């Protein structure tokens, strides 16, 4: 079955390049699976600076790229890594960088540049416990708000959160496709637990993997304007060297891509950067729900926490609670409409996450007082005790 | 089997991760079940304590960490000391008999094999972990033997399959002999 975001886009996907697809049933950790997902998605340029717990992704890619036809560069730091993939993308190559917390912070300025220049790139953040150097080898989910708001100014962004090595593979492909569809940096918000956990990963044959190719303009060089969008709000691209007149900049620009320092140009451009995600949010959003109909309490979670929460939910059900679950597969854009809808019929939301309350703030905002929102915080370095989640559910159900 | 937890410990360089990967792969890929393997990440290097854990289940493993293993595979005395207290009361210790001298609770069982010595006899001490793997397989019977063999073949470098399979069978045979000696009704010596 074709993924919802592809169906909704109206774009005709193409099969994956078999060179990058290691078809078969494997036993891989989430980092390796993410690397395989990138190669299957057609990624052929990766620039990065190694950092635990993300390093295995580039180790995998570094080992396999020579056979796949890709280039990996170990850069001097994360600022350069992010800049390199933004530049690389303008050659028509699918590009990715990989990091964790401290490196993610350093990438923020150029993530904003990618958003402003509307450059399709994938940034993987294998979250470890922060702040600062924190616990390098241990799990955290504390970068979720940074993913949304980390660079200055207003822009739309897409973020995904895998809960298993299998999803680290599958969602990395989706991340590349979404980056092409909406011309935004797409953030793969992994966590150390999923990254370092080894499980079965099934990689389908190349002809069963659907890829969104770079959406290059069919207009002539005389007609083409690099930042003119139709009603989809996403302009068509060209490749550097294709013979089109082309200019791009982090400054506020007009449809030609030229700096234009006016309130009007700012209004048109930034409005579109925000709208292209907001107005297409229904096509991008992906949640997984279970037993939300008739539930008193809905547990909202993502990543590794969604697995641990499932145990807490089962314990609470055994003790008579009517609990449903809603898992964020896509975290940004946030499923506002669905949370609003549920808030009218449930008593409470319980939001366990490995931070002191980030996505729970979104749930609370959308619930807008119609239902209670209870966060179940965890400082990081480990996952929740399912019993603790169960207690929060029972408390909320009262 | 609802959920079985295994911890493998030894010192860096003994092949702790390979053993764990083969067990997990055998159960998840070749037996079609679910196994989450996590290797400990710390300031570990060759010669220092190292461990990996497996959570094995018929259904998706929701909680990936191991808290009270059913089986502790101990290839170093330090590893055994570090992890013996988390072993279940009915747990099983599988150990390297020349390196580890475990004292266990009366409710626990312990089975030793001189895996390093046996590997040396095969000509490559490096396959010590695979001797241990064969031993583990036959003692615990957690994973179908054929799935183990399949997983092992997939996990070792090309060209070393024969030696590794020989090492595996060596460990398995040793375990079967040991179990026969301990079986009820077996001749007491």
């Amino acid at each position: 079955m074709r993924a919802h975001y592809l169906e909704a886009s109206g774009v005709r996907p193409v099969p994956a390049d078999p060179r990058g697809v290691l078809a078969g049933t494997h036993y891989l950790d989430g980092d390796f699976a993410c690397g395989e997902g990138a190669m299957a998605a057609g990624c052929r340029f990766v620039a990065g600076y190694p950092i635990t717990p993300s390093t295995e992704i580039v180790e995998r890619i570094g080992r396999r790229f020579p056979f796949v036809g890709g280039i990996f560069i170990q850069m001097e730091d994360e600022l350069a890594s992010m800049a390199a993939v933004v530049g690389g993308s303008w050659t028509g190559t699918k590009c990715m960088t990989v990091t964790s917390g401290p490196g993610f912070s350093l990438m923020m300025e150029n993530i904003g540049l990618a958003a402003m220049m509307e450059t399709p790139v994938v940034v993987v953040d294998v979250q470890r416990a922060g702040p600062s150097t924190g616990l390098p080898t241990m799990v955290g989910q504390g970068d979720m708000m940074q993913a949304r708001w980390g660079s200055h100014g207003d822009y739309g962004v897409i973020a995904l959160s895998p809960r298993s090595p299998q999803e680290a593979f599958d969602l990395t492909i989706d991340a590349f496709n979404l980056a092409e569809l909406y011309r935004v940096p797409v953030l793969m918000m992994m966590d150390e637990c999923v990254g370092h956990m080894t499980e079965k990963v099934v990689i389908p044959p190349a002809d069963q993997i659907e890829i969104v190719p770079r959406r290059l303009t069919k207009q002539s060089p005389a007609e083409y304007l690099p930042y003119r969008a139709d009603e989809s709000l996403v302009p068509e691209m060209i490749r550097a060297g294709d013979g089109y007149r082309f200019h791009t900049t982090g400054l506020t620009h007009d449809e030609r891509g030229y700096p234009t320092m006016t309130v009007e140009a700012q209004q048109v451009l930034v409005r579109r950067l925000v709208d292209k995600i907001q107005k297409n949010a229904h096509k991008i959003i992906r949640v997984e729900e279970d037993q939300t109909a008739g539930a008193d309490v809905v547990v909202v979670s993502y990543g590794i926490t969604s697995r641990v929460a499932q145990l807490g939910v089962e314990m609470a059900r055994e003790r008579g609670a009517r609990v449903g679950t809603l898992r964020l597969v896509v975290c940004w854009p946030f499923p506002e409409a669905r949370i609003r809808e549920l808030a009218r019929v449930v008593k409470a939301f319980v939001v366990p996450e490995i931070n002191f309350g980030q996505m729970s703030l979104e749930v609370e905002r959308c619930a807008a007082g119609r239902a209670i929102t209870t966060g179940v915080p965890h400082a990081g370095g480990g996952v929740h005790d399912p019993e603790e989640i169960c207690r929060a559910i029972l408390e909320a159900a009262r | 089997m609802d959920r079985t937890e295994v911890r493998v410990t030894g010192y860096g360089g003994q092949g702790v991760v390979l053993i764990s990967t083969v067990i997990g792969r055998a159960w998840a890929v070749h037996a079609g079940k679910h196994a989450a393997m996590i290797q400990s990440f710390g300031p570990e290097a060759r010669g220092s304590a190292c461990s990996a854990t497996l959570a094995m289940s018929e259904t998706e493993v929701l909680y990936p960490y191991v808290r009270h293993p059913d089986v502790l595979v101990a290839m170093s005395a330090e590893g055994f000391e570090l992890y013996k207290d988390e072993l279940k009361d009915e747990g099983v210790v599988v150990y390297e008999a020349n390196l580890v001298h475990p004292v266990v609770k009366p409710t626990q069982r312990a089975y030793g094999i001189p895996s390093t010595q046996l590997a040396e006899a095969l000509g490559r001490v490096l396959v010590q972990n695979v001797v241990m793997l064969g031993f583990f397989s036959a003692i615990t019977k957690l994973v179908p033997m054929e799935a183990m063999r399949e997983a092992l073949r997939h996990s070792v470098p090309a060209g070393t399959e024969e030696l590794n399979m020989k090492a595996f069978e060596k460990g398995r045979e040793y375990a079967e002999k040991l179990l026969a000696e301990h079986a009820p009704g077996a001749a007491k010596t």
Side-chain angles (χ1 to χ4, degrees), chain B residues 1-186:
Chain B
M1 180 169 84
D2 191 29
R3 178 186 167 102
T4 303
E5 299 188 347
V6 177
R7 183 183 289 279
V8 182
T9 177
Y11 42 81
Q14 262 184 327
V16 164
V17 174
L18 181 85
I19 292 191
S20 315
T21 306
V22 173
I23 300 170
R25 189 186 164 95
W27 187 243
V29 175
H30 300 288
K33 314 289 187 183
H34 298 264
M37 193 275 284
I38 293 179
Q39 45 181 307
S40 63
F41 285 83
E44 284 144 354
R46 192 157 298 179
S48 66
C50 161
S51 100
T53 62
L54 278 152
M56 299 157 69
S57 172
E58 297 278 343
T59 52
E60 186 187 19
V61 173
L62 292 174
Y63 192 86
Y65 296 108
V66 158
R67 293 201 269 201
H68 300 293
D70 299 273
V71 182
L72 173 62
V73 180
M75 301 193 291
S76 75
E78 193 188 347
F80 175 74
E81 288 305 319
L82 203 56
Y83 294 111
K84 64 177 184 193
D85 291 338
E86 61 172 32
L87 186 67
K88 280 205 182 102
D89 281 345
E90 322 70 55
V92 174
V93 183
V94 174
Y95 62 95
E96 209 299 343
N98 287 327
L99 299 175
V100 188
H101 304 285
V103 178
V104 297
K105 294 177 188 167
T107 50
Q108 295 170 335
R109 286 169 298 149
Y111 299 92
I113 178 172
S115 45
T116 311
Q117 219 174 312
L118 291 171
E120 272 166 359
L122 287 169
R124 287 292 296 277
V125 67
L126 220 58
V127 294
Q128 178 277 134
N129 59 339
V130 180
V131 176
M132 181 60 83
L133 185 71
F135 184 69
F136 165 91
S137 306
I139 292 286
T140 64
K141 300 187 180 67
L142 274 175
V143 181
M145 203 57 82
E146 215 27 63
M148 278 294 201
R149 291 192 182 104
E150 277 287 297
L152 180 63
R153 266 191 287 271
H154 272 94
S155 306
V156 297
T160 68
E161 293 93 343
E162 203 190 323
L163 173 67
N164 276 293
M165 293 320 292
K166 220 186 266 177
F168 182 86
E169 301 305 338
K170 183 67 95 181
R172 178 187 59 79
E173 284 159 16
Y174 193 93
E176 281 166 2
K177 219 173 114 210
L178 194 70
L179 289 173
E181 282 165 13
H182 283 75

Side-chain angles (χ1 to χ4, degrees), chain A residues 27 163 193 196 198 200 307 311, chain B residues 24 28 35-37 60-62:
Chain A
Y27 196 57
R163 67 177 234 145
C193 189
H196 278 167
T198 302
K200 177 165 68 183
R307 291 170 67 153
L311 281 175
Chain B
M37 193 275 284
E60 186 187 19
V61 173
L62 292 174

